[in-house]
């Protein structure tokens, strides 16, 4: 079994990441989310989806149902993305807040989910109707924190919004000794319904500016833009230019701004920010080296086509250029080839020298197009059904009676109990339904050449 030499210098690679934020106002998923997910834009060639929703239906019956089953939004995204080779990597929910991460399965051995966290800030910090949810992971060896938030509403509560922003940031500490503080992470993606409003300007001026697409007239009075001018830490978070209409507040099932008695001013409440770790200063006599970890913005847009909520969704597409700190999977998996339904499936796998295996590690068999890690057809514990093992090569088998007869291709995943992550993936392969010797019309076996 061949594997990449760990000493080989890894090349830089680019990952395309699509970030979605949407306050769905308790609505069910609409029939078509192709525009939101950019499914028709084949030039994007996306690697990762990061999806943050706010105000999911969190009534008692809905929460009880979602505890036993996937919520409708998660199920929808899995159904749409799994045929495109995306697997749900992780999710975290706090009442109406939901954060989902999907990645193409080829990346799974290089994505380690380290922690998920919920930080309630509503009702003196005890209620989760406001606050933030976080997924913290290692991506090709780099620390990445992803936060979806919902901050307090209303024009007068700007100071409270900023306090909640700081509180969510302060609460992102981790118990493990070897995990750095969030401000030392290589990348923070922070987005959600931040509820910042446009100050001073009257309703008529704001609506006329929006109607004539004079968005720059409104930027200087945007509360988040004002806060960034005065707060050094907030200033470190970058944002693309607001070249799309304010995303709040609309009459539901229309593209008309609020026509109720309150007639709320349009505002860019739904935002996507990012922060890269500060690069250490190079010596003035030493030529600067290319950054091994850089983020570039490809698009920052709203999607006016969706009308099920009083908010419009906002998306960002990024290119993340990195030099992998981890370029070889911890486990190399190889199914027996050819594999048929006539005998148990023999699986060979090898471990890198720095991988600590556990009796609770397992190898799962999946159909190509799986939705998430629990979507296995069959599995085996690595210490069960063991045929042989050595320092370099291990072999186990999966009982063929557990495998359905199908022409669909399969994959093998190795799941590490210690790392709570997939650490090895096989190439796609097929299990032949049966094999036979060709026979002549007289039922006499032909000699094999």
């Amino acid at each position: 079994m061949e594997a990449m030499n760990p000493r080989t210098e890894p090349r830089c690679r680019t990952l395309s990441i699509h970030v979605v934020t949407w306050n769905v106002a308790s609505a069910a998923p609409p029939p078509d989310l192709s525009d939101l997910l950019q499914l028709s834009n084949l030039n994007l060639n996306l690697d990762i989806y990061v999806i943050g929703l706010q105000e999911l239906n969190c009534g008692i019956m809905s929460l009880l149902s979602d505890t036993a089953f996937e919520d409708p939004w998660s199920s929808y995204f899995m159904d749409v993305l799994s045929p495109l080779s995306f697997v749900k990597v992780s999710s975290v929910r706090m009442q109406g807040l939901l954060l989902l991460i999907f990645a193409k399965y080829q990346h799974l051995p290089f994505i380690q989910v380290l922690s998920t966290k919920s930080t309630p800030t509503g009702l003196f910090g005890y209620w989760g109707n406001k606050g933030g949810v976080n997924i913290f992971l290692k991506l090709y060896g780099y620390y990445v924190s992803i936060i979806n938030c919902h901050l307090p509403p209303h024009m007068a509560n700007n100071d409270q919004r900023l306090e909640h922003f700081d509180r969510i940031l302060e609460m992102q500490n981790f118990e493990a000794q070897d995990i750095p503080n969030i401000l030392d992470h290589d990348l923070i993606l922070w987005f959600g319904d931040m509820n910042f409003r446009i100050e001073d300007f009257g309703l008529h001026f704001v609506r006329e500016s929006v109607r004539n697409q004079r968005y720059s007239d409104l930027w200087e009075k945007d509360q988040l833009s004002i806060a960034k001018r005065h707060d050094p830490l907030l200033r470190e978070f970058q944002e693309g230019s607001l070249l799309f209409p304010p995303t709040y507040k609309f009459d539901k099932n229309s593209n008309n701004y609020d026509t109720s008695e309150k007639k709320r001013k349009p505002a860019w409440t739904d935002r996507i920010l990012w922060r890269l770790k500060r690069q250490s200063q190079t010596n003035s006599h030493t030529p600067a080296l290319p950054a091994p970890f850089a983020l570039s913005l490809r698009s920052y847009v709203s999607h006016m086509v969706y009308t099920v909520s009083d908010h419009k969704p906002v998306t960002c597409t990024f290119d993340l250029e990195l030099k992998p700190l981890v370029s070889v999977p911890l486990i190399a998996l190889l199914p027996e080839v050819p594999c048929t339904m006539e005998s148990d499936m023999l699986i060979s796998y090898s471990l890198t020298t720095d991988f600590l295996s556990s009796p609770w590690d397992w190898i799962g068999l999946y159909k190509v197009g799986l939705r998430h890690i629990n979507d296995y057809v069959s599995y085996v514990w690595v210490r069960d059904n063991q045929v042989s093992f050595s320092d370099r090569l291990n072999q186990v088998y999966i009982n063929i009676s557990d495998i359905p007869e199908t022409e669909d291709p399969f994959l093998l995943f190795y799941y590490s109990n210690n790392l709570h992550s997939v650490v090895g993936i096989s190439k796609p392969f097929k299990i032949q339904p049966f094999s036979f010797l060709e026979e002549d019309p007289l039922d006499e076996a032909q000699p094999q050449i």
Side-chain angles (χ1 to χ4, degrees), residues 50-251:
V50 175
I51 301 171
L53 305 179
Q54 306 87 39
E55 287 196 21
L56 260 68
N57 187 348
C58 56
I60 296 297
M61 293 307 297
S62 176
L63 284 175
L64 288 174
S65 173
D66 294 347
T67 300
F69 309 99
E70 292 283 357
D71 67 271
W73 285 90
S74 295
S75 294
Y76 182 97
F77 288 123
M78 285 191 288
D79 289 343
V80 170
L81 294 176
S82 59
L84 304 176
S85 299
F86 286 92
V87 179
K88 188 180 83 168
V89 175
S90 184
S91 66
V92 57
R93 181 171 180 182
M94 180 179 70
Q95 290 182 220
L97 277 170
L98 175 66
L99 177 58
L100 300 159
I101 299 178
F102 292 85
K104 283 192 172 170
Y105 70 79
Q106 297 93 328
H107 299 298
L108 293 188
F110 307 103
I111 301 176
Q112 181 186 349
V113 178
L114 299 176
S115 174
T116 61
K117 192 175 182 66
S118 301
T119 306
T121 59
L123 196 62
F124 306 104
Y126 292 101
W127 193 242
N129 63 323
K130 295 293 184 290
V133 289
N134 173 286
I135 295 176
F136 172 44
L137 50 85
K138 263 189 171 181
L139 179 64
Y140 284 90
Y142 293 91
Y143 290 105
V144 177
S145 266
I146 300 170
I147 301 173
N148 172 27
C149 74
H150 193 181
L151 303 182
H154 307 309
M155 177 73 73
N157 289 332
N158 191 44
D159 288 343
Q160 191 179 15
R161 277 188 282 279
L162 295 174
E163 288 174 8
H164 284 209
F165 190 98
D166 289 340
R167 189 182 310 167
I168 293 169
L169 191 62
E170 289 170 4
M171 294 301 291
Q172 302 308 314
N173 52 353
F174 304 95
E175 295 178 2
Q177 296 293 324
D178 57 341
I179 299 178
N181 180 278
I182 188 171
L183 294 178
D184 291 320
H185 294 175
D186 298 287
L187 172 65
I188 303 173
L189 290 173
W190 194 326
F191 49 87
D193 180 1
M194 298 188 179
N195 260 319
F196 290 105
R197 307 305 169 97
I198 297 172
E199 293 184 349
D200 298 342
F201 295 137
L203 175 64
H204 178 73
F205 179 82
V206 171
R207 289 195 172 181
E208 279 297 301
S209 298
V210 173
R211 188 172 66 85
N212 294 308
Q213 298 185 15
R214 296 197 308 268
Y215 306 129
S216 58
D217 292 347
L218 307 176
W219 293 343
E220 63 176 290
K221 296 299 182 180
D222 169 70
Q223 289 179 331
L224 178 56
S225 301
I226 295 171
K228 290 181 68 173
R229 292 197 289 268
H230 296 93
D231 187 324
L233 180 57
L234 195 55
R235 195 181 304 136
E236 294 181 7
F237 285 86
Q238 302 179 61
E239 183 181 17
S241 298
L242 297 170
L243 300 177
F244 50 86
T247 53
Y248 176 83
K249 173 181 172 59
F250 289 87
D251 294 335

Side-chain angles (χ1 to χ4, degrees), residues 302-371:
S302 63
H303 298 261
M304 298 292 289
V305 68
Y306 300 108
T307 61
V308 297
S309 169
D310 53 354
H311 290 250
K312 301 298 182 185
V314 173
T315 64
C316 262
T317 305
F318 298 101
D319 280 341
L320 176 60
E321 185 179 1
L322 56 82
K323 190 173 186 178
L325 301 178
V326 179
S327 56
V328 179
L330 294 172
I331 297 289
L333 278 166
L334 188 67
E336 183 182 31
V337 177
C339 184
T340 73
M341 295 294 294
E342 294 185 342
S343 60
D344 292 334
M345 178 190 294
L346 184 66
I347 303 166
S348 302
Y349 66 94
S350 61
L351 298 72
T352 57
T353 55
D354 55 346
F355 176 69
L356 182 62
S357 64
S358 160
W360 300 108
D361 293 353
W362 51 275
I363 296 173
L365 177 69
Y366 299 83
K367 286 184 181 180
V368 171
L370 68 150
R371 291 154 45 104

Side-chain angles (χ1 to χ4, degrees), residues 274-315:
W274 72 93
R275 178 188 183 272
L276 287 169
K277 182 180 176 181
R278 285 184 237 169
Q279 301 293 327
S280 57
Q281 298 297 317
T282 58
N283 189 303
S284 58
H285 300 291
T286 305
L289 298 174
F293 192 88
L295 194 71
S296 57
L297 178 66
R298 293 180 66 174
S299 71
Y300 187 30
V301 296
S302 63
H303 298 261
M304 298 292 289
V305 68
Y306 300 108
T307 61
V308 297
S309 169
D310 53 354
H311 290 250
K312 301 298 182 185
V314 173
T315 64

